[in-house]
Amino acid sequence: MEKMALFSVLIILACLHVHSVRSAIASTKLDCVNGGSSTVGTVDEDYEGDVEIITNIGPNDRPFLEPHLTGNVRSLLELVYTEGDSTAIVRTIKPLDYEEIRPYSDAVYYFITCARGPKNHRTLYVRDVNDHPPIFQSKSYSATVSETTAVGSNVLTVVARDADATMDNKRVWYSILPPVPDAFEVNTIHGNIRLTKPLDYNSVQQYIFTVEAKDIGELKDTTTVTITVEKQKQNTEENQEEDFSDITPEDIKDQDGDTDINKPVNAPAFI
Ligand SMILES: [Ca+2]
Ligand SMILES: [Ca+2]
């Protein structure tokens, strides 16, 4: 008895499945007297299978498929028809790619044309699916910045492109993955890397961190950012030689902890 119940459930599920598949297929009538126009329906990108079943085909109608607006329709759809049959099927040649269709429209337009002339116009709408991740234009970015760079400055910009056609699916958000550096932040929308606190060459000479680009569907990519801190440059020694002529070496000793011989010198000693 239990086996019978299970069998019944399977039959019902199979029927529901057939129904759901067939619900995506339109049934249309061919009019080889007046032509006509109809909307087949809407399918998600990547749809693959039958698009419409055409009935009412007369023995001399001999319909064929023609493009209209969607120039590449013959690479997307095909008409399956045997001469003498009263029905035909339009089906996909490959999964429908919204990004391939979008340069023309958000729909596939075509004609089922009768041998004696009248055209039957069809419109098949396709919805964009988020099937492309953001991709950084470079797997790594680098910049060298002076330790005197003003807080708030943009030091570089990372860019990730998302090949989806609609704004919802192509919009990208940027973030810095942990461990997040204490001196930089990324603009969520534009990808600008901005300095958030003064740099100090003596403390950190290089920052390396990872920036992630993510779309609405959590598809993502990462890139490595390297920012090298450049020591502040001193004025030319020639200019200082004359100014410092009457100052003993002890007077120009290091005042700020810099370790390099070219470290900046506090001016008040010779003014
Ligand atoms: Ca996307
Ligand atoms: Ca897409």
Side-chain angles (χ1 to χ4, degrees):
M1 190 62 187
E2 284 183 1
K3 282 185 178 176
M4 283 297 293
L6 179 61
F7 184 71
S8 300
V9 169
L10 290 175
I11 291 291
I12 292 169
L13 288 174
C15 290
L16 287 172
H17 177 69
V18 169
H19 177 74
S20 66
V21 170
R22 290 204 167 169
S23 66
I25 304 172
S27 180
T28 61
K29 284 187 177 179
L30 188 69
D31 186 340
C32 285
V33 177
N34 301 309
S37 179
S38 60
T39 297
V40 175
T42 304
V43 293
D44 283 339
E45 178 181 13
D46 297 329
Y47 177 81
E48 189 175 19
D50 294 347
V51 171
E52 63 170 316
I53 297 172
I54 305 168
T55 62
N56 199 41
I57 301 175
N60 299 315
D61 290 340
R62 300 192 301 279
F64 56 93
L65 186 141
E66 281 190 302
H68 176 236
L69 299 178
T70 312
N72 60 342
V73 73
R74 285 201 181 95
S75 70
L76 305 173
L77 305 176
E78 64 181 352
L79 177 71
V80 182
Y81 169 68
T82 302
E83 196 164 333
D85 284 356
S86 60
T87 63
I89 293 175
V90 174
R91 68 185 182 193
T92 59
I93 293 173
K94 58 185 180 183
L96 296 177
D97 180 358
Y98 188 86
E99 280 67 49
E100 184 182 348
I101 297 165
R102 184 52 183 255
Y104 305 93
S105 174
D106 58 353
V108 179
Y109 301 102
Y110 57 96
F111 290 117
I112 305 300
T113 304
C114 306
R116 286 171 292 180
K119 295 176 185 290
N120 290 241
H121 188 255
R122 299 287 188 260
T123 302
L124 171 65
Y125 289 102
V126 181
R127 272 189 297 256
D128 185 28
V129 168
N130 183 36
D131 58 347
H132 290 277
I135 303 288
F136 275 106
Q137 291 189 326
S138 176
K139 293 311 292 177
S140 63
Y141 290 81
S142 61
T144 299
V145 297
S146 166
E147 65 176 341
T148 61
T149 301
V151 171
S153 300
N154 288 322
V155 298
L156 65 85
T157 300
V158 296
V159 179
R161 301 290 187 208
D162 186 309
D164 278 304
T166 55
M167 189 51 69
D168 281 350
N169 290 332
K170 74 187 299 182
R171 187 175 292 124
V172 172
W173 289 271
Y174 300 97
S175 62
I176 298 176
L177 296 181
V180 178
D182 62 356
F184 297 97
E185 65 182 11
V186 65
N187 183 289
T188 307
I189 305 299
H190 302 294
N192 301 335
I193 308 290
R194 180 174 165 273
L195 183 65
T196 57
K197 73 171 211 178
L199 295 170
D200 179 4
Y201 178 86
N202 291 332
S203 300
V204 183
Q205 290 81 46
Q206 195 170 63
Y207 293 83
I208 300 175
F209 50 93
T210 303
V211 177
E212 179 185 83
K214 192 164 61 177
D215 72 7
I216 194 170
E218 303 282 315
L219 301 178
K220 58 188 74 167
D221 190 22
T222 58
T223 190
T224 302
V225 174
T226 303
I227 296 175
T228 302
V229 180
E230 192 175 56
K231 188 166 176 51
Q232 180 186 6
K233 286 187 169 52
Q234 192 196 12
N235 294 333
T236 60
E237 292 183 3
E238 291 76 10
N239 291 339
Q240 291 175 2
E241 192 174 328
E242 189 178 340
D243 294 335
F244 281 75
S245 57
D246 59 349
I247 298 174
T248 60
E250 288 75 15
D251 291 327
I252 55 174
K253 64 188 178 186
D254 179 15
Q255 297 292 315
D256 66 355
D258 278 345
T259 54
D260 191 275
I261 190 65
N262 292 322
K263 57 186 171 276
V265 175
N266 287 351
F270 55 89
I271 291 176

